Structure formats: C-alpha cells, structure tokens
Amino acid sequence: MRKCQFVSLCALSLGIILFCTQLVNAQRVLRPRQLPTYTSQTVLSQLAQANVVYLGETHDNPEDHIIQLQIIEELHRQNPNIAIAMEMFQRPFQFELDRYIGNELTEVRLRERTDYENRWGFPWEYYAPILRFAKANRLPVLALNTPTEITRKVARRGLESLSREEQQYIPPLSEIRTDNAAYRVLMLQIYEQMHQGSGSSSSFERFFQAQVLWDETMAEVIAQFLQRNPDFQVVTLVGQGHVVYGYGIPSRVARRLGSANLVQRVVLLNPPDRSQFKADKSIADFIWRTTLD
C-alpha cells in the first residue's frame, strides 16, 4: 500500500534539513520546528487553484512518475482544461506530440520521431502512462526543452556563439536573464561539486548560461501557452533543480506573465532525505513523499 506524506514549506528564518516530515537541528538551531502535514485531498484542492503546477521529479525514480500521473488524473477530474508540459521533449518536436495526441502517430513512432532515446533516455515506461492518459483525454502536451545541440554549444562556447538559426527554438537572448545572484550561488555549488576544483570562472559562466537557457526556454513555452489559453491549467513535469526556490522556471514565468493574478505551486516529489535547504526561503510549496509497505 502506498502512503503519501505532504509538507507545506514556509520561509523559515532558520537553517533546516528536511527528513520526511520532520525538521532536524542544523546550523545551531536550538528548537527544531515540526512542519504541518496535510491529506492528499487538501493538497490537491490547493493545486487545483493554481495556473501552473510544477511536479519536480528525480528522473530515475519510478515512484515520482506514479505520483505525477495520480496528481494529473485528479486535477483533470476537477478541471478538464489541463495541459501537460514535459521537460522530456524538446521544442522542435512539438508537432510530433500534437500528432500523437491527435491519434495520427503511434507511440512507437512518437519515440522514434522525437529521438527520445538519445535526447532524454530515461525509461519510456516512466512517462508512457502519462502520455497515454493525455492522448485518451485529448490533453495538450507541451514540448518544453531546449534542443540538446543548443544547450551543449552554450555550455562549451557561451550564448554569444549561437547563430540566428540556432536561436529559433529559444527566447530572445535579451530575455535570458542571469542576474539572480542567489541562483548563481546555488549553481556554483553544484558546479564545484561536479568539477572538484578543476573548473574555471569562464567555464562556470557558460555552465550557468546553459542552465538558465533551459529555464528560460521552458518558461517561455508555458507563458506563451497560457497567454493563448488563459482558461487552462498547466501541469509541468520537470527536474527539481529547475523549480527549487522558484529560481528556475517559476520566476521566469512570473516575469513574462506578471505575478498579480498568476498562481504557481511547486511540489517536490521524494526529494533526497539529506537535502539541506536555505534558512530564509521556501524551497517549494509542498513536499510529497511516498513510502511502500
């Protein structure tokens, strides 16, 4: 039997490490605080009120994808106007996704024509039930991601190296904002862990540009869809690094659409037990954990 636990994360003025639903003493915190937990229906009722819901996954965790489908099914039950935005597909292949949803393309051909194995590569069966649900209910599926060739080129040579033709699947360069200092610090920590002292400032800058390019591209797709379809809710399947603290995609969607009437909710699915979060900022709206008995 699968049990779910949910944690609502507020911006706490203390350093924390999250272990399931428990706050554990860290960074000289003297009185750890227990975060509130909610039933699945309470969480889902809050998600149903959002314009954009982000389901932050760990790509190789099959439990995350089971949860994603369950959430999508329930949100669709409450509102049939749902679009599913997927990091797993790159923007040049939107036409193929549309053909699949329109029953003009088989699942096998969809895999082939989107070059799924080379461009994403995680097991197809993680996402196939979600795609089948979308097809059965004629739900739009949005190809979010930047083409691999573009991201790799930016990581090697920087944004300025892109030709006009290469820029057709990304936002204008003026909209690719790298001025979030806190996000830069977070990415620098990841970069240093990856390179273990062998990196350089110029290499990191290109690495950061590539990360932000991912975020801006995905944010542009979501924002453009909502501008054309304001009565829809977008449920976004994406890696957790693109949504934690709102630095990646959420802040960039808000910048494009304005935050006055925009409601976004970030859910992290089964994040690592030993993740240490910032002391003064909420990492997400909810943590959704599963345990198997």
Side-chain angles (χ1 to χ4, degrees):
M1 177 181 178
R2 182 174 294 107
K3 295 180 180 178
C4 298
Q5 296 177 318
F6 310 89
V7 181
S8 178
L9 295 181
C10 303
L12 303 176
S13 57
L14 65 157
I16 63 174
I17 296 178
L18 184 67
F19 290 89
C20 210
T21 60
Q22 183 179 5
L23 283 179
V24 179
N25 193 350
Q27 299 184 6
R28 300 181 183 177
V29 176
L30 300 179
R31 292 187 299 276
R33 291 173 53 185
Q34 183 78 23
L35 290 176
T37 59
Y38 300 94
T39 67
S40 60
Q41 289 306 310
T42 298
V43 174
L44 287 164
S45 67
Q46 293 194 36
L47 298 184
Q49 299 173 39
N51 304 103
V52 189
V53 174
Y54 301 94
L55 303 180
E57 66 176 51
T58 299
H59 301 313
D60 61 357
N61 185 350
E63 276 291 302
D64 288 5
H65 310 302
I66 294 172
I67 300 168
Q68 287 170 335
L69 178 57
Q70 292 173 343
I71 292 173
I72 289 169
E73 288 174 338
E74 177 58 23
L75 291 176
H76 179 257
R77 189 187 66 79
Q78 298 186 50
N79 174 15
N81 290 338
I82 297 287
I84 304 172
M86 300 184 68
E87 180 189 5
M88 303 78 214
F89 296 99
Q90 297 175 2
R91 288 182 73 170
F93 304 105
Q94 182 64 57
F95 178 66
E96 309 301 340
L97 281 170
D98 294 343
R99 291 183 65 205
Y100 170 76
I101 295 301
N103 206 29
E104 300 174 13
L105 201 65
T106 66
E107 192 172 304
V108 171
R109 292 292 287 161
L110 176 65
R111 291 176 66 175
E112 294 172 350
R113 295 183 69 87
T114 58
D115 197 18
Y116 177 88
E117 303 300 335
N118 293 320
R119 293 174 181 271
W120 190 248
F122 291 97
W124 177 259
E125 284 303 318
Y126 285 176
Y127 304 100
I130 296 169
L131 289 165
R132 293 166 191 158
F133 180 82
K135 182 177 183 179
N137 292 279
R138 303 298 293 266
L139 305 182
V141 177
L142 309 182
L144 286 185
N145 214 339
T146 313
T148 302
E149 301 88 341
I150 305 296
T151 308
R152 287 177 177 169
K153 185 173 183 180
V154 170
R156 292 194 308 267
R157 299 171 56 186
L159 284 167
E160 65 278 2
S161 70
L162 296 179
S163 67
R164 185 179 300 274
E165 182 180 2
E166 289 169 326
Q167 293 177 37
Q168 66 179 313
Y169 291 113
I170 66 172
L173 296 184
S174 61
E175 295 181 12
I176 300 173
R177 298 273 294 275
T178 60
D179 55 351
N180 185 323
Y183 196 25
R184 180 179 289 272
V185 169
L186 181 63
M187 288 297 106
L188 180 59
Q189 293 170 350
I190 294 172
Y191 175 84
E192 290 176 341
Q193 290 173 4
M194 292 170 55
H195 290 80
Q196 298 182 344
S198 62
S200 66
S201 59
S202 59
S203 173
F204 167 71
E205 189 61 34
R206 295 190 298 271
F207 168 84
F208 187 49
Q209 286 182 1
Q211 175 72 21
V212 171
L213 175 60
W214 266 334
D215 298 329
E216 295 283 15
T217 300
M218 291 190 276
E220 182 182 62
V221 175
I222 294 168
Q224 288 179 347
F225 179 85
L226 285 174
Q227 286 169 338
R228 296 191 303 267
N229 305 276
D231 57 334
F232 267 71
Q233 179 183 60
V234 177
V235 181
T236 305
L237 313 185
V238 68
Q240 295 181 7
H242 293 289
V243 295
V244 291
Y245 304 110
Y247 292 157
I249 303 172
S251 67
R252 299 164 202 277
V253 170
R255 192 184 78 226
R256 287 173 167 83
L257 296 180
S259 57
N261 298 311
L262 178 68
V263 179
Q264 302 188 89
R265 292 288 179 261
V266 175
V267 182
L268 298 188
L269 307 174
N270 297 308
D273 287 346
R274 298 183 182 277
S275 294
Q276 186 168 335
F277 304 144
K278 288 182 179 296
D280 58 351
K281 187 173 178 62
S282 171
I283 194 171
D285 295 292
F286 296 100
I287 299 291
W288 187 312
R289 291 196 182 279
T290 58
T291 57
L292 297 179
D293 290 346

